[in-house]
Amino acid sequence: MAMRGVMMLFFQVLILCFQAKAWHAVRRSFELEQTAAHQEKPRNCMHVTSEEGEFSYVKLPPVRSTSKHGHWMPAPDASGEPTAGEPDPEPGAAPATVCGIYFVADPDQTVEVTMRQVNVDCRTGGLMAFVDGWELNGQYFPGERDHEKPLGLRVQEFCAERTGGPWPGKQGATTSAGAWVFRSSQNAALVQYRIPERGSFVLSARFHHNPKPCNIMAEGLAPYYMLRNYGQRRNCTLTALFPAVVSVIAQEVGEINDSVRYCERVRVDDKLEIGGSVGLDPSYQLVRASTICGRSRGRMDLEQTILCGTTSVRLISSGRYNNQAMVTMRMADESDLRLATVICEM
Ligand SMILES: *[C@@H]1O[C@H](CO)[C@@H](O)[C@H](O)[C@H]1NC(C)=O
Ligand SMILES: *[C@@H]1O[C@H](CO)[C@@H](O)[C@H](O)[C@H]1NC(C)=O
């Protein structure tokens, strides 16, 4: 688990390099707090986690606290005794910063978020949102065209009508209304919050088994990833937010009798695309490293190094075949630089 911790930290630092400007789906757009990439410890504003459990956040008015950013209280201590603020390294930071808790579960899991308390006042500009997927710089994972739901249904905004004390009340109305329990369609989900003055919230996150994972956010730790279409006409994408070495270990894509081949130049409906992009959504500007069709008999090892902010493997399916691909994805390191198949401008 310690290993996982270290990897997650690395993952966070890489994500912070995106210098995200979030909250695109909402009426106005706001700058996400920029965090210097050299900082060892990512600041509170983008919090990436692969843990279930309770998360609480409190922001006090700046009068008594030296921090403008509020504080994380990792797990159960929801009673909320706010800790003293650390000195603010960016005194000019806008108060209406949009922050996010980025959840990434195992590839075959979905994320369920239950809001236990929401003390984020609508009238002072406070707003929260649950995103079915991840959002960075106005781009979404899974891509807008790849998700079974339209974007409007994937981003659910909420805030509280009044502040002062926990809201909404215990259980009861909360769960029966259904509005305060959110579920993602894949292993990635995001809770965004904008708290200009003061406010707090408590949420709990649980991961559930997903029997048919299609889109997968790769955290880079799984020994391999499976992409499958389950015979449906749909596109499934495996995405990692880091430069990666991708290897296709085995695949069955398209005609039964076709052996594995590159098929960039042929018109085929069922294929596996490997590439990278600058932003989160590979269907925008995917720089393709290769397109592969056919069925491997036994193991193959087609290794490709994608030096882009986002690395993606996309399984494109017409619905006529049961397609699948087994892929490994690991973070590229210095020794991989020479062998880059694709390099994006970053
Ligand atoms: C899958 O992707 C291909 C190529 O990007 C596109 O032409 C097709 O419409 C997509 N299919 C679905 C079901 O979205
Ligand atoms: C596969 O190839 C064999 C031999 O060439 C042929 O007999 C068979 O009908 C083909 N099957 C399909 C599904 O195309």
Side-chain angles (χ1 to χ4, degrees):
M1 282 300 107
M3 178 62 183
R4 186 168 182 138
V6 170
M7 290 300 287
M8 284 312 294
L9 183 62
F10 195 17
F11 191 40
Q12 287 183 16
V13 171
L14 277 156
I15 286 171
L16 287 166
C17 298
F18 271 84
Q19 301 193 328
K21 292 183 222 82
W23 215 264
H24 188 254
V26 198
R27 281 102 222 162
R28 288 160 286 164
S29 72
F30 300 89
E31 293 278 317
L32 227 180
E33 182 173 79
Q34 295 209 339
T35 306
H38 62 262
Q39 258 179 274
E40 270 280 87
K41 195 179 106 214
R43 293 241 311 287
N44 292 337
C45 211
M46 284 187 79
H47 185 80
V48 180
T49 182
S50 57
E51 305 289 331
E52 297 181 282
E54 197 150 279
F55 297 80
S56 62
Y57 176 86
V58 174
K59 182 177 181 177
L60 294 172
V63 193
R64 285 175 200 280
S65 164
T66 50
S67 170
K68 285 182 177 150
H69 303 291
H71 301 277
W72 278 102
M73 288 181 293
D77 182 23
S79 58
E81 197 189 317
T83 46
E86 41 187 281
D88 190 344
E90 280 175 89
T97 300
V98 175
C99 298
I101 312 170
Y102 290 74
F103 291 98
V104 54
D106 287 343
D108 62 346
Q109 288 179 324
T110 58
V111 181
E112 182 186 88
V113 168
T114 305
M115 299 309 302
R116 305 248 171 245
Q117 282 180 30
V118 178
N119 194 1
V120 174
D121 192 349
C122 316
R123 292 164 310 174
T124 58
L127 190 60
M128 295 192 69
F130 175 84
V131 181
D132 185 357
W134 280 20
E135 187 269 359
L136 277 171
N137 289 323
Q139 289 190 20
Y140 290 82
F141 172 83
E144 294 179 45
R145 278 169 282 181
D146 283 353
H147 207 277
E148 66 263 28
K149 289 187 204 160
L151 197 57
L153 294 179
R154 288 174 62 190
V155 181
Q156 291 172 277
E157 297 172 15
F158 54 96
C159 53
E161 293 303 329
R162 57 185 182 86
T163 49
W167 195 96
K170 289 199 171 167
Q171 306 292 324
T174 320
T175 30
S176 64
W180 303 90
V181 180
F182 303 103
R183 230 175 182 188
S184 71
S185 310
Q186 62 291 311
N187 72 329
L190 162 64
V191 175
Q192 287 181 313
Y193 55 97
R194 183 185 72 207
I195 304 179
E197 286 171 19
R198 60 180 297 165
S200 64
F201 62 85
V202 179
L203 63 83
S204 60
R206 283 182 60 203
F207 300 158
H208 296 282
H209 179 65
N210 181 1
K212 290 185 173 180
C214 169
N215 294 299
I216 297 168
M217 173 64 71
E219 88 293 53
L221 298 178
Y224 61 87
Y225 297 93
M226 288 300 302
L227 276 169
R228 286 196 178 101
N229 72 327
Y230 313 97
Q232 290 170 21
R233 181 177 182 275
R234 71 187 298 195
N235 298 330
C236 300
T237 302
L238 168 71
T239 287
L241 291 194
F242 46 79
V245 178
V246 177
S247 181
V248 180
I249 301 295
Q251 74 166 46
E252 291 179 2
V253 178
E255 296 276 2
I256 309 285
N257 272 4
D258 280 353
S259 49
V260 171
R261 66 189 195 284
Y262 290 106
C263 52
E264 276 91 4
R265 287 164 204 285
V266 242
R267 238 194 75 89
V268 276
D269 295 330
D270 293 70
K271 54 196 166 187
L272 194 68
E273 284 183 350
I274 299 158
S277 54
V278 179
L280 196 51
D281 183 352
S283 64
Y284 274 108
Q285 354 92 313
L286 182 76
V287 182
R288 232 168 284 150
S290 61
T291 306
I292 320 170
C293 304
R295 305 197 166 216
S296 62
R297 291 175 183 80
R299 189 188 163 102
M300 52 188 233
D301 250 319
L302 205 61
E303 203 170 86
Q304 299 172 75
T305 302
I306 315 289
L307 298 182
C308 295
T310 302
T311 305
S312 289
V313 180
R314 246 169 102 67
L315 176 62
I316 294 169
S317 302
S318 63
R320 292 197 298 274
Y321 309 98
N322 247 312
N323 296 328
Q324 55 180 335
M326 186 191 231
V327 175
T328 62
M329 209 179 236
R330 68 167 171 85
M331 209 174 280
D333 57 36
E334 272 173 49
S335 65
D336 301 309
L337 296 183
R338 295 179 294 123
L339 297 170
T341 320
V342 157
I343 300 177
C344 296
E345 283 179 41
M346 293 216 226

Coordinates of all heavy atoms in Angstrom, one line a residue, residues 175-224:
T175 N -31.4 10.9 1.3 CA -31.3 9.8 0.5 C -32.6 9.5 -0.3 O -32.6 9.0 -1.4 CB -30.9 8.5 1.3 OG1 -31.4 8.7 2.6 CG2 -29.4 8.4 1.3
S176 N -33.8 9.8 0.3 CA -35.0 9.5 -0.4 C -35.2 10.4 -1.6 O -35.7 10.0 -2.6 CB -36.2 9.7 0.6 OG -36.3 11.1 1.0
A177 N -34.7 11.6 -1.5 CA -34.7 12.5 -2.7 C -33.8 12.0 -3.8 O -34.0 12.2 -5.0 CB -34.3 13.9 -2.3
G178 N -32.7 11.3 -3.3 CA -31.8 10.6 -4.3 C -30.8 11.6 -4.9 O -29.9 11.2 -5.6
A179 N -31.0 12.9 -4.6 CA -30.2 13.9 -5.3 C -28.8 13.9 -4.7 O -27.9 14.5 -5.3 CB -30.8 15.2 -5.2
W180 N -28.6 13.4 -3.6 CA -27.3 13.6 -2.9 C -26.4 12.3 -2.9 O -25.5 12.2 -2.2 CB -27.6 14.1 -1.5 CG -28.4 15.3 -1.5 CD1 -29.7 15.4 -1.5 CD2 -27.9 16.7 -1.7 NE1 -30.1 16.8 -1.6 CE2 -29.0 17.5 -1.7 CE3 -26.6 17.2 -1.8 CZ2 -28.8 18.9 -1.9 CZ3 -26.4 18.6 -1.9 CH2 -27.6 19.4 -1.9
V181 N -26.9 11.3 -3.6 CA -26.1 10.2 -3.9 C -25.8 10.1 -5.4 O -26.7 10.1 -6.2 CB -26.8 8.9 -3.4 CG1 -25.9 7.7 -3.7 CG2 -27.2 9.0 -2.0
F182 N -24.5 10.1 -5.7 CA -24.1 10.2 -7.1 C -23.3 8.9 -7.4 O -22.5 8.4 -6.6 CB -23.3 11.4 -7.4 CG -23.9 12.7 -7.0 CD1 -23.6 13.4 -5.8 CD2 -24.9 13.2 -7.8 CE1 -24.2 14.6 -5.5 CE2 -25.5 14.4 -7.5 CZ -25.2 15.1 -6.3
R183 N -23.4 8.5 -8.7 CA -22.7 7.3 -9.1 C -22.1 7.5 -10.4 O -22.7 8.1 -11.3 CB -23.7 6.1 -9.2 CG -23.1 4.9 -8.4 CD -24.0 3.8 -8.4 NE -23.4 2.8 -7.6 CZ -23.9 1.5 -7.5 NH1 -25.0 1.2 -8.1 NH2 -23.2 0.6 -6.8
S184 N -20.8 7.1 -10.6 CA -20.2 7.3 -11.9 C -20.4 6.0 -12.7 O -20.9 5.0 -12.3 CB -18.7 7.4 -11.6 OG -18.1 6.2 -11.2
S185 N -20.1 6.2 -14.0 CA -20.3 5.1 -15.0 C -19.0 4.3 -15.1 O -19.0 3.2 -15.8 CB -20.7 5.6 -16.3 OG -21.8 6.5 -16.2
Q186 N -17.9 4.8 -14.6 CA -16.6 4.2 -14.8 C -15.8 4.4 -13.6 O -16.3 4.9 -12.6 CB -15.9 4.7 -16.1 CG -15.6 6.2 -16.0 CD -16.8 7.1 -16.1 OE1 -17.6 6.9 -17.0 NE2 -16.9 8.0 -15.2
N187 N -14.5 4.1 -13.6 CA -13.7 4.1 -12.4 C -13.2 5.6 -12.0 O -12.4 5.7 -11.1 CB -12.5 3.2 -12.5 CG -11.4 3.6 -13.5 OD1 -11.7 4.3 -14.4 ND2 -10.2 3.3 -13.2
A188 N -13.6 6.5 -12.8 CA -13.2 7.9 -12.5 C -14.4 8.8 -12.2 O -15.5 8.7 -12.9 CB -12.5 8.5 -13.7
A189 N -14.3 9.6 -11.2 CA -15.4 10.6 -10.8 C -14.7 11.8 -10.2 O -13.6 11.7 -9.7 CB -16.4 9.9 -9.9
L190 N -15.4 12.9 -10.2 CA -14.9 14.1 -9.6 C -15.9 14.9 -8.9 O -17.1 15.0 -9.3 CB -14.4 15.0 -10.8 CG -14.1 16.4 -10.7 CD1 -13.0 16.7 -9.7 CD2 -13.8 17.1 -12.0
V191 N -15.5 15.4 -7.7 CA -16.4 16.3 -7.0 C -15.7 17.7 -7.0 O -14.6 17.8 -6.5 CB -16.6 15.9 -5.5 CG1 -17.4 16.9 -4.7 CG2 -17.4 14.5 -5.5
Q192 N -16.3 18.7 -7.6 CA -15.8 20.0 -7.7 C -16.4 20.9 -6.7 O -17.6 20.7 -6.4 CB -16.0 20.6 -9.1 CG -15.1 20.0 -10.2 CD -15.3 20.6 -11.5 OE1 -16.4 20.8 -12.0 NE2 -14.2 21.0 -12.2
Y193 N -15.7 21.8 -6.2 CA -16.3 22.8 -5.2 C -15.7 24.2 -5.4 O -14.5 24.3 -5.6 CB -16.2 22.3 -3.8 CG -14.8 22.0 -3.3 CD1 -14.1 22.9 -2.6 CD2 -14.2 20.7 -3.6 CE1 -12.8 22.6 -2.2 CE2 -12.9 20.4 -3.2 CZ -12.2 21.4 -2.5 OH -11.0 21.1 -2.1
R194 N -16.6 25.1 -5.2 CA -16.2 26.5 -5.2 C -16.8 27.2 -4.0 O -18.0 27.2 -3.9 CB -16.7 27.2 -6.5 CG -16.2 28.6 -6.7 CD -16.9 29.2 -7.9 NE -18.3 29.5 -7.6 CZ -19.2 29.5 -8.6 NH1 -18.9 29.3 -9.8 NH2 -20.5 29.8 -8.3
I195 N -15.9 27.6 -3.1 CA -16.4 28.1 -1.9 C -15.7 29.5 -1.7 O -14.6 29.6 -1.2 CB -16.1 27.2 -0.7 CG1 -16.7 25.8 -0.9 CG2 -16.7 27.8 0.6 CD1 -16.5 24.8 0.1
P196 N -16.4 30.6 -2.1 CA -15.7 31.9 -2.1 C -15.5 32.4 -0.6 O -14.4 33.0 -0.4 CB -16.7 32.8 -2.8 CG -17.7 31.9 -3.5 CD -17.7 30.7 -2.7
E197 N -16.4 32.2 0.3 CA -16.2 32.8 1.6 C -16.0 31.8 2.7 O -14.9 31.6 3.2 CB -17.4 33.7 1.9 CG -17.4 35.0 1.1 CD -18.7 35.8 1.3 OE1 -19.4 35.5 2.3 OE2 -18.9 36.7 0.5
R198 N -17.0 31.1 3.0 CA -16.9 30.1 4.0 C -17.9 29.0 3.7 O -18.8 29.1 3.0 CB -17.2 30.6 5.4 CG -18.6 31.2 5.6 CD -18.8 31.7 7.0 NE -18.7 30.6 7.9 CZ -18.6 30.9 9.2 NH1 -18.5 32.1 9.7 NH2 -18.5 29.9 10.1
G199 N -17.6 27.8 4.2 CA -18.4 26.7 3.9 C -17.7 25.4 4.3 O -16.5 25.4 4.6
S200 N -18.5 24.3 4.2 CA -17.9 23.0 4.5 C -18.7 22.0 3.8 O -19.9 22.2 3.5 CB -17.8 22.8 6.0 OG -19.1 22.8 6.5
F201 N -18.1 20.8 3.7 CA -18.9 19.7 3.3 C -18.2 18.4 3.7 O -17.1 18.4 4.1 CB -19.1 19.6 1.7 CG -17.8 19.5 0.9 CD1 -17.3 18.3 0.7 CD2 -17.2 20.7 0.4 CE1 -16.1 18.2 -0.1 CE2 -16.0 20.5 -0.3 CZ -15.5 19.3 -0.6
V202 N -19.1 17.4 3.8 CA -18.6 16.1 4.2 C -19.2 15.1 3.2 O -20.4 15.1 2.9 CB -19.1 15.7 5.6 CG1 -18.6 14.3 6.0 CG2 -18.6 16.7 6.7
L203 N -18.3 14.3 2.7 CA -18.9 13.3 1.7 C -18.2 11.9 2.0 O -17.1 11.9 2.6 CB -18.6 13.7 0.3 CG -17.2 13.8 -0.2 CD1 -16.6 12.5 -0.7 CD2 -17.1 14.8 -1.4
S204 N -18.9 10.9 1.6 CA -18.2 9.6 1.7 C -18.2 8.9 0.3 O -19.2 9.1 -0.5 CB -18.9 8.7 2.7 OG -20.2 8.5 2.4
A205 N -17.2 8.3 0.0 CA -17.0 7.6 -1.3 C -16.9 6.1 -1.1 O -16.2 5.7 -0.2 CB -15.7 8.2 -1.9
R206 N -17.6 5.4 -1.9 CA -17.5 4.0 -2.0 C -17.3 3.5 -3.4 O -17.9 4.1 -4.3 CB -18.8 3.4 -1.4 CG -19.0 3.4 0.1 CD -20.3 2.8 0.5 NE -20.3 1.4 0.1 CZ -21.5 0.7 0.0 NH1 -22.6 1.3 0.2 NH2 -21.4 -0.6 -0.4
F207 N -16.6 2.4 -3.5 CA -16.4 1.9 -4.8 C -17.2 0.6 -5.0 O -17.3 -0.2 -4.1 CB -14.9 1.5 -5.0 CG -14.0 2.7 -4.9 CD1 -12.6 2.6 -4.6 CD2 -14.5 4.0 -5.1 CE1 -11.8 3.7 -4.5 CE2 -13.6 5.1 -5.0 CZ -12.3 5.0 -4.6
H208 N -17.8 0.4 -6.2 CA -18.6 -0.8 -6.4 C -18.1 -1.5 -7.6 O -17.4 -0.9 -8.5 CB -20.1 -0.3 -6.8 CG -20.8 0.4 -5.7 ND1 -21.3 -0.3 -4.6 CD2 -21.0 1.7 -5.4 CE1 -21.8 0.5 -3.7 NE2 -21.6 1.7 -4.2
H209 N -18.4 -2.8 -7.7 CA -17.9 -3.6 -8.8 C -18.6 -3.2 -10.1 O -19.9 -3.0 -10.1 CB -18.1 -5.1 -8.5 CG -17.7 -6.0 -9.6 ND1 -16.4 -6.1 -10.0 CD2 -18.4 -6.8 -10.4 CE1 -16.3 -6.9 -11.0 NE2 -17.5 -7.4 -11.3
N210 N -17.9 -3.1 -11.1 CA -18.5 -2.8 -12.4 C -18.3 -4.0 -13.3 O -17.2 -4.4 -13.7 CB -17.8 -1.6 -13.0 CG -18.3 -1.2 -14.4 OD1 -19.3 -1.8 -14.9 ND2 -17.7 -0.2 -15.0
P211 N -19.4 -4.8 -13.6 CA -19.2 -6.0 -14.4 C -18.8 -5.8 -15.8 O -18.2 -6.7 -16.4 CB -20.6 -6.6 -14.3 CG -21.6 -5.5 -14.0 CD -20.8 -4.5 -13.3
K212 N -19.1 -4.6 -16.4 CA -18.7 -4.4 -17.8 C -18.0 -3.1 -18.0 O -18.5 -2.1 -18.5 CB -20.0 -4.4 -18.7 CG -20.6 -5.8 -18.8 CD -21.7 -5.7 -19.8 CE -22.3 -7.2 -20.0 NZ -23.4 -7.1 -21.0
P213 N -16.8 -3.0 -17.5 CA -16.1 -1.7 -17.6 C -15.7 -1.4 -19.1 O -15.3 -2.4 -19.8 CB -14.8 -1.9 -16.8 CG -14.6 -3.4 -16.6 CD -16.0 -4.0 -16.8
C214 N -15.9 -0.2 -19.5 CA -15.6 0.2 -20.9 C -14.5 1.2 -20.9 O -13.4 0.9 -21.3 CB -16.9 0.7 -21.6 SG -16.7 1.5 -23.2
N215 N -14.8 2.4 -20.4 CA -13.8 3.4 -20.3 C -13.1 3.3 -19.0 O -13.7 3.1 -17.9 CB -14.5 4.8 -20.4 CG -15.1 5.0 -21.8 OD1 -14.4 5.0 -22.8 ND2 -16.4 5.2 -21.8
I216 N -11.8 3.4 -19.0 CA -11.0 3.2 -17.8 C -9.9 4.3 -17.7 O -9.2 4.6 -18.7 CB -10.3 1.8 -17.9 CG1 -11.3 0.7 -18.0 CG2 -9.3 1.6 -16.8 CD1 -10.7 -0.7 -18.4
M217 N -9.9 4.9 -16.5 CA -8.8 5.8 -16.2 C -7.7 4.9 -15.6 O -7.9 4.2 -14.6 CB -9.3 6.8 -15.2 CG -8.2 7.7 -14.6 SD -7.4 8.8 -15.8 CE -8.7 9.9 -16.2
A218 N -6.5 4.9 -16.2 CA -5.4 4.0 -15.7 C -4.6 4.8 -14.7 O -4.2 5.9 -15.0 CB -4.6 3.6 -16.9
E219 N -4.4 4.2 -13.6 CA -3.5 4.9 -12.7 C -2.1 4.3 -12.8 O -1.2 4.8 -12.1 CB -4.1 4.9 -11.2 CG -3.8 3.7 -10.4 CD -4.4 2.4 -10.8 OE1 -4.2 2.0 -12.0 OE2 -5.0 1.7 -10.0
G220 N -1.9 3.4 -13.7 CA -0.6 2.9 -14.0 C -0.1 1.8 -13.1 O 1.1 1.4 -13.2
L221 N -0.9 1.3 -12.3 CA -0.4 0.2 -11.4 C -0.9 -1.2 -11.7 O -0.3 -2.1 -11.3 CB -1.0 0.6 -9.9 CG -0.5 1.9 -9.4 CD1 -1.1 2.1 -8.0 CD2 1.0 1.9 -9.3
A222 N -1.9 -1.3 -12.5 CA -2.5 -2.6 -12.8 C -1.4 -3.3 -13.7 O -0.8 -2.7 -14.6 CB -3.8 -2.5 -13.5
P223 N -1.3 -4.6 -13.6 CA -0.3 -5.4 -14.4 C -0.7 -5.3 -15.9 O 0.1 -5.3 -16.8 CB -0.3 -6.8 -13.9 CG -1.5 -6.9 -13.0 CD -1.8 -5.5 -12.5
Y224 N -2.0 -5.3 -16.1 CA -2.5 -5.1 -17.5 C -4.0 -4.6 -17.4 O -4.6 -4.7 -16.4 CB -2.5 -6.5 -18.3 CG -3.4 -7.5 -17.7 CD1 -4.7 -7.6 -18.0 CD2 -2.8 -8.5 -16.8 CE1 -5.5 -8.6 -17.5 CE2 -3.6 -9.4 -16.2 CZ -5.0 -9.5 -16.6 OH -5.8 -10.5 -16.0

